Amino acid sequence: MSSQQEVDDGETEGSKRKRHGMLKMYYGIEKSGGATLDPCDINGAHFEADTYLSNLIKQRSLTELMDEETKMVTQIRALDSDMQTLVYENYNKFISATDTIRKMKNDFKKMEDEMDHLASNMATITEFSGTISNTLQDRRQHITKLSGVHALLKKLQFLFELPARLNKCIEMKAYSAAVRYYTKAKRILHQYQHMASFQGINEDCNKIIHQLCDHLREQFKDKESSAKDLAQCVDLLLQLNEPAEKLCEEFLSHARQKIDEDLQLLDRQIRLQSGEEIKSEGETAAQAYLATPMDVLEFVDTGCNGFLSNICLVIASYNDMFLSKPQEDENMDAIALKKLVFFVNELMEKYFDYVQRRVRLERETGDNTILVRSLDRFHRRLQAMNKLLPDTDFSRAGTDIVSKAAKDRVYHYLQSLKQHFSDCMTDVRQNLAAPRTVGKHDSNSYLNDLLNNTQTAVVDQIKSVLNNLQAFLDSDITFAMKPYFRGPFCVQGVREGLIVAFLNHVSSTCLEFCEDKDKGSAPPALLLILSKLCIEFEASTISYLLTLTEEQFMMTERFPVTSVTDLCNNAKDAAQKLLNHFVKVQGLSISQMLRKSVETRDWLNTIEPRNVRAVMKRVIEDITAIDAQVGQLYEEGVRKERSSDSSRRTHPHSYMGSAALRKGGQWNYAPSIDNSLMSNIQKLFSEKIEIFSAVEFSKVSVLTGIIKISLKTFLECVRLRTFGRYGLQQIQVDTHYLQLYLWRFVSDENLVQVLLDEIVCSTVHRCLDPAMMEPSVIDLICERG
């Protein structure tokens, strides 16, 4: 509504100015600068009607001429109306001006009469003044002389009464009045001390002043004296010419007694908070209250309202008494300032130490609001102290304490996160060790659930810690916006000292499970979970946590920081080593069974095989269980294409061996060629198998690594034994049974085939009576087993 009214008013003013301009042009009163030489410009000064009319008739039609006429008539009427309005407005102004001038004539008439009256009065006053001066001219010098004598008599009377006045003031404890009287008469008494009468007065006054100085010093040393009383005592002693340097030392020594009591209270609170029992008999109610531990905010308030307030009062009083007043000795100001600075610095160092020790005792893991508020209040009071003592800068020391407290808090949270991660690992181990009831846990997702729960718990704990630390950056905290606090706290403290340090701790802790010390202490499933946890951290969690930290703490300062890539590489390296260690542990576990089964059997005197040995069945069961376990956390992986008859294949060496035995009746059917040489020649053309190679993050790769270690151990154990005929045939049965099941777990079935072939060949080489079992019999035994 108001905006529309403003637009209407603007249009009204604009139309008025336009009409006034048109009137000015109509009456020929426009400025010469705006005139134009065009004779056809109806608004110009050089307008010619005949020329304009002839041009108009030539250029316009009859209808346009009639419209133009109508338009001109309308404009002429509008101009006439505006002219009448202007004449009316000016007429009213002329009438008002006439009335004002008539009134001014009447007012000036009265003023002229008053000025004439004032001039006559001034003339009368001048006349009377001249008469008085002429009358008193003869007596002026006499009056001046009598006045001087009167003043001198009053001074003499004051001097003679001075000892009595001073004694009376001391009795009434009006020490300031006594000093004022003495300082007023001191110069005269000193000047006329050679006269007997003045000499006696001077001696009496000096004795009284000595007594006054003693009273002032007693009051100065009284512990119950207030700061105002101390300031008055020092001021009076300075007026009595007492040594300023000595007074400075006495004043600061007396002030220190009270300030030490404040520091003792803070020290007592620190000892109470530390758990020390402080017993004192005969305590009052107030003392008993102070004997209870205070929280950190109350502790800082006590220090600010007690110690800092008192030391500020001492500084202000000291400045008023010694530094703000002119001293006879030019070096006195520097000496006095040096004493004050030394006094304050010594006490502030103790106070800073107490505050730092009390803040360090804050071990609560909850909200930081109280701690931050106490630090903010402490920081604010120190800012105010700099104005009292410009030669010192306590705000920097206070900021260092605040920064150290924030750093300690970050370190405390880092230890808390480490402990939480350790507790998570303990929970996982307990869950893995606890027997699982059928139906209570899904066997296909049990490890995945443990992994998700652990990852969620760790991330949620980090989020909670970050939220707690944001209290240090609240908008109403004075030190939060200071660049010397915010940058180091956010980047070096929170990002590097907390998040990056914790992520490195997770990686290093996981790597500790790969070390050889405490063999077998970590369950293999835990290694698998930690490996997958590191993979999840490398894939998304590390980037998410660092981005969340940088957003919450608005890190704009550029500091050298650990890159996300480095952290991800550390996590991936830890995951790789954990998975390698898992393969090694599981491979060695199965290898141990195979080793015992080979070493504890008499292979020379064994009976003819009728079944697959139980240890082979146990091996297949364990590998199946490991396959299911790894499948909960890792994808299947890539397998090489296998032949359609993989499950029915037998060992080529078995065929070769049985055929050779059938033809020649002996294993060494070619006397010129050694069997071991033939075996070595065959190995040259087979692909080399790397047993302890790096494992890929897939189920097939993990199982392949475990099976390679197991079969390699089986092979090495076979090479250390000597076999009979039935021992060789039992190995044939066992290896064929393994081949029937192991091919489905590995990435390349040829790998299993090659290792099993080597086991059979090694057995044949170490057999005293090599006679191979028929493949059909082997198949029958394995199918039955």
Side-chain angles (χ1 to χ4, degrees):
M1 184 70 179
S2 59
S3 61
Q4 183 63 34
Q5 185 176 0
E6 291 175 359
V7 171
D8 295 340
D9 295 339
E11 292 179 353
T12 304
E13 292 295 329
S15 60
K16 284 184 178 181
R17 286 196 297 271
K18 183 177 180 182
R19 288 197 299 269
H20 291 172
M22 293 173 68
L23 284 171
K24 290 179 180 179
M25 290 187 291
Y26 179 77
Y27 289 107
I29 60 176
E30 188 180 16
K31 292 183 180 179
S32 59
T36 177
L37 300 177
D38 187 6
C40 295
D41 184 7
I42 195 170
N43 296 324
H46 300 277
F47 174 70
E48 294 181 4
D50 294 338
T51 305
Y52 177 76
L53 184 59
S54 61
N55 288 337
L56 199 61
I57 293 172
K58 291 177 182 179
Q59 297 174 0
R60 306 288 179 91
S61 62
L62 179 59
T63 303
E64 291 176 344
L65 289 174
M66 293 177 68
D67 292 340
E68 187 70 23
E69 179 189 10
T70 303
K71 181 179 178 182
M72 281 189 175
V73 170
T74 302
Q75 291 180 351
I76 291 171
R77 288 177 180 173
L79 290 173
D80 288 339
S81 176
D82 290 341
M83 180 184 67
Q84 292 176 4
T85 301
L86 286 173
V87 170
Y88 178 74
E89 291 176 354
N90 291 334
Y91 177 75
N92 287 337
K93 292 179 180 178
F94 289 148
I95 296 300
S96 177
T98 302
D99 294 340
T100 302
I101 292 171
R102 185 182 298 111
K103 186 177 180 181
M104 288 176 64
K105 286 183 178 181
N106 295 332
D107 292 341
F108 277 113
K109 179 65 176 174
K110 293 180 181 179
M111 189 178 295
E112 289 177 358
D113 295 340
E114 290 178 358
M115 291 299 293
D116 292 341
H117 183 64
L118 179 61
S120 62
N121 288 339
M122 291 298 295
T124 304
I125 291 172
T126 302
E127 182 180 355
F128 275 108
S129 177
T131 303
I132 292 172
S133 297
N134 293 332
T135 303
L136 297 177
Q137 184 175 4
D138 296 336
R139 299 181 180 180
R140 183 178 299 155
Q141 295 179 352
H142 184 62
I143 292 173
T144 302
K145 184 177 180 181
L146 290 177
S147 177
V149 172
H150 180 264
L152 180 60
L153 290 175
K154 288 183 67 177
K155 290 180 180 180
L156 291 174
Q157 184 180 3
F158 176 79
L159 290 175
F160 284 114
E161 294 177 355
L162 182 59
R165 285 174 180 266
L166 293 178
N167 286 324
K168 187 67 174 176
C169 289
I170 292 176
E171 291 178 4
M172 298 176 61
K173 295 185 177 181
Y175 301 138
S176 58
V179 173
R180 186 173 66 252
Y181 293 152
Y182 178 73
T183 53
K184 186 176 180 181
K186 180 179 178 181
R187 185 177 59 84
I188 298 175
L189 290 174
H190 182 72
Q191 183 177 358
Y192 297 101
Q193 63 180 348
H194 57 281
M195 299 175 64
S197 56
F198 288 101
Q199 185 177 5
I201 295 173
N202 188 29
E203 291 176 355
D204 293 341
C205 289
N206 287 335
K207 292 180 181 179
I208 296 172
I209 291 301
H210 281 304
Q211 296 177 4
L212 176 59
C213 289
D214 294 337
H215 286 295
L216 290 175
R217 289 187 181 279
E218 290 177 1
Q219 185 176 350
F220 185 76
K221 296 178 180 179
D222 187 6
K223 292 184 178 181
E224 303 299 326
S225 299
S226 63
K228 183 178 180 181
D229 295 335
L230 292 177
Q232 183 181 16
C233 290
V234 171
D235 183 44
L236 296 178
L237 289 172
L238 288 175
Q239 293 182 34
L240 295 175
N241 292 331
E242 288 293 321
E245 184 175 356
K246 185 177 181 181
L247 288 177
C248 290
E249 294 176 354
E250 291 181 357
F251 176 79
L252 294 177
S253 176
H254 175 76
R256 175 145 194 171
Q257 296 176 3
K258 286 193 172 183
I259 295 177
D260 283 341
E261 293 178 0
D262 297 328
L263 292 176
Q264 290 173 3
L265 174 61
L266 298 181
D267 180 67
R268 185 180 188 186
Q269 283 298 319
I270 291 174
R271 287 187 289 153
L272 285 172
Q273 192 69 25
S274 301
E276 298 181 14
E277 295 185 3
I278 303 175
K279 296 182 180 180
S280 56
E281 298 179 356
E283 285 186 341
T284 62
Q287 291 173 338
Y289 169 74
L290 295 176
T292 58
M294 303 176 180
D295 61 25
V296 65
L297 181 60
E298 190 175 1
F299 178 87
V300 170
D301 282 339
T302 301
C304 292
N305 299 331
F307 171 80
L308 286 182
S309 296
N310 288 334
I311 202 169
C312 287
L313 185 61
V314 169
I315 293 172
S317 302
Y318 192 91
N319 286 331
D320 294 339
M321 289 184 290
F322 300 108
L323 301 179
S324 301
K325 294 182 179 180
Q327 302 288 342
E328 295 180 359
D329 188 0
E330 296 180 355
N331 298 325
M332 187 59 212
D333 285 342
I335 296 174
L337 180 60
K338 184 177 180 181
K339 290 181 179 295
L340 177 62
V341 170
F342 179 80
F343 170 81
V344 173
N345 285 338
E346 185 180 5
L347 290 175
M348 290 301 292
E349 286 180 4
K350 290 187 177 181
Y351 175 64
F352 288 152
D353 179 63
Y354 287 143
V355 173
Q356 198 164 359
R357 286 166 55 191
R358 179 61 184 85
V359 171
R360 201 180 297 124
L361 292 175
E362 286 297 301
R363 299 301 185 197
E364 298 296 330
T365 57
D367 194 4
N368 289 321
T369 305
I370 295 179
L371 174 62
V372 174
R373 284 177 56 195
S374 62
L375 292 174
D376 179 58
R377 197 164 298 178
F378 169 73
H379 186 266
R380 289 174 188 264
R381 288 300 297 268
L382 290 181
Q383 297 286 341
M385 275 199 66
N386 289 337
K387 299 178 181 178
L388 285 175
L389 201 60
D391 291 343
T392 57
D393 185 11
F394 298 115
S395 61
R396 190 61 186 173
T399 303
D400 291 340
I401 292 177
V402 172
S403 300
K404 183 67 168 55
K407 186 177 179 181
D408 290 343
R409 202 65 180 158
V410 169
Y411 178 76
H412 172 71
Y413 278 125
L414 175 61
Q415 301 306 315
S416 175
L417 288 177
K418 290 181 179 179
Q419 183 61 42
H420 181 263
F421 182 70
S422 177
D423 294 340
C424 290
M425 294 298 97
T426 303
D427 292 342
V428 171
R429 298 183 72 161
Q430 290 177 351
N431 287 325
L432 292 174
R436 282 172 283 169
T437 306
V438 177
K440 202 169 186 180
H441 299 285
D442 186 1
S443 59
N444 295 326
S445 62
Y446 182 62
L447 296 185
N448 194 32
D449 292 341
L450 289 178
L451 170 66
N452 293 333
N453 293 338
T454 301
Q455 185 174 0
T456 302
V458 170
V459 172
D460 289 344
Q461 188 70 12
I462 292 175
K463 288 182 179 179
S464 175
V465 168
L466 291 177
N467 289 333
N468 288 337
L469 286 175
Q470 278 190 298
F472 284 93
L473 300 180
D474 286 343
S475 58
D476 58 341
I477 303 301
T478 54
F479 58 79
M481 295 298 114
K482 303 295 183 182
Y484 50 77
F485 171 81
R486 188 181 187 87
F489 173 72
C490 294
V491 180
Q492 299 173 2
V494 178
R495 188 189 190 277
E496 296 295 311
L498 181 67
I499 303 301
V500 173
F502 176 68
L503 293 175
N504 287 329
H505 169 75
V506 171
S507 298
S508 61
T509 302
C510 293
L511 287 175
E512 289 178 1
F513 289 98
C514 301
E515 297 177 358
D516 292 335
K517 62 179 181 180
D518 300 332
K519 283 186 178 180
S521 61
L526 177 62
L527 299 175
L528 200 61
I529 292 174
L530 291 179
S531 174
K532 187 61 177 178
L533 178 67
C534 291
I535 287 295
E536 294 293 334
F537 269 58
E538 185 264 341
S540 60
T541 305
I542 291 177
S543 300
Y544 168 72
L545 290 176
L546 290 178
T547 302
L548 178 67
T549 304
E550 292 170 358
E551 289 177 354
Q552 287 188 353
F553 291 84
M554 296 178 289
M555 297 181 187
T556 57
E557 293 82 359
R558 299 189 177 277
F559 287 91
V561 295
T562 305
S563 65
V564 178
T565 305
D566 293 340
L567 294 173
C568 291
N569 290 337
N570 292 339
K572 188 172 183 180
D573 181 63
Q576 184 68 63
K577 291 181 178 179
L578 283 167
L579 199 59
N580 293 343
H581 191 61
F582 172 78
V583 171
K584 180 181 177 182
V585 170
Q586 294 288 53
L588 293 178
S589 176
I590 297 175
S591 298
Q592 191 68 18
M593 288 191 300
L594 293 172
R595 181 185 298 277
K596 288 182 179 180
S597 70
V598 173
E599 292 178 350
T600 57
R601 191 178 183 92
D602 186 4
W603 294 99
L604 285 173
N605 301 316
T606 185
I607 62 175
E608 184 177 359
R610 291 290 182 265
N611 294 300
V612 179
R613 287 190 300 152
V615 68
M616 298 303 163
K617 298 178 182 180
R618 176 67 184 277
V619 167
I620 298 301
E621 291 175 0
D622 288 354
I623 291 179
T624 304
I626 294 172
D627 179 75
Q629 198 176 59
V630 176
Q632 296 182 40
L633 298 177
Y634 285 99
E635 299 295 332
E636 182 70 20
V638 180
R639 298 177 184 270
K640 290 185 179 181
E641 293 184 3
R642 61 184 180 85
S643 61
S644 59
D645 60 342
S646 298
S647 62
R648 296 184 298 274
R649 291 178 56 186
T650 54
H651 305 292
H653 288 99
S654 301
Y655 287 115
M656 182 190 71
S658 61
L661 291 174
R662 283 195 300 268
K663 289 180 181 179
Q666 294 181 0
W667 178 253
N668 296 325
Y669 57 89
S672 60
I673 302 177
D674 192 355
N675 291 332
S676 61
L677 179 59
M678 292 294 296
S679 177
N680 291 332
I681 292 174
Q682 287 182 346
K683 290 181 181 180
L684 291 175
F685 295 95
S686 63
E687 184 179 356
K688 183 180 180 181
I689 300 174
E690 188 177 355
I691 303 300
F692 293 99
S693 59
V695 183
E696 298 178 359
F697 297 102
S698 65
K699 184 176 73 171
V700 170
S701 180
V702 172
L703 268 296
T704 300
I706 295 173
I707 291 172
K708 285 194 298 183
I709 294 174
S710 303
L711 295 183
K712 184 64 174 177
T713 303
F714 193 8
L715 174 62
E716 296 301 325
C717 291
V718 166
R719 288 176 176 174
L720 298 176
R721 310 298 293 180
T722 303
F723 296 86
R725 173 184 296 182
Y726 296 134
L728 169 62
Q729 293 177 2
Q730 184 65 58
I731 294 295
Q732 277 186 281
V733 173
D734 292 344
T735 55
H736 184 67
Y737 181 80
L738 291 176
Q739 192 275 329
L740 287 176
Y741 294 96
L742 292 182
W743 64 267
R744 67 190 66 182
F745 298 112
V746 297
S747 59
D748 185 4
E749 60 180 297
N750 292 328
L751 183 144
V752 175
Q753 189 66 47
V754 169
L755 288 174
L756 292 175
D757 285 348
E758 288 189 13
I759 293 173
V760 174
C761 289
S762 296
T763 307
V764 171
H765 294 160
R766 287 156 183 80
C767 181
L768 299 180
D769 184 16
M772 307 294 285
M773 182 178 285
E774 291 295 331
S776 58
V777 179
I778 296 175
D779 289 337
L780 182 62
I781 294 174
C782 291
E783 290 175 2
R784 190 175 56 195

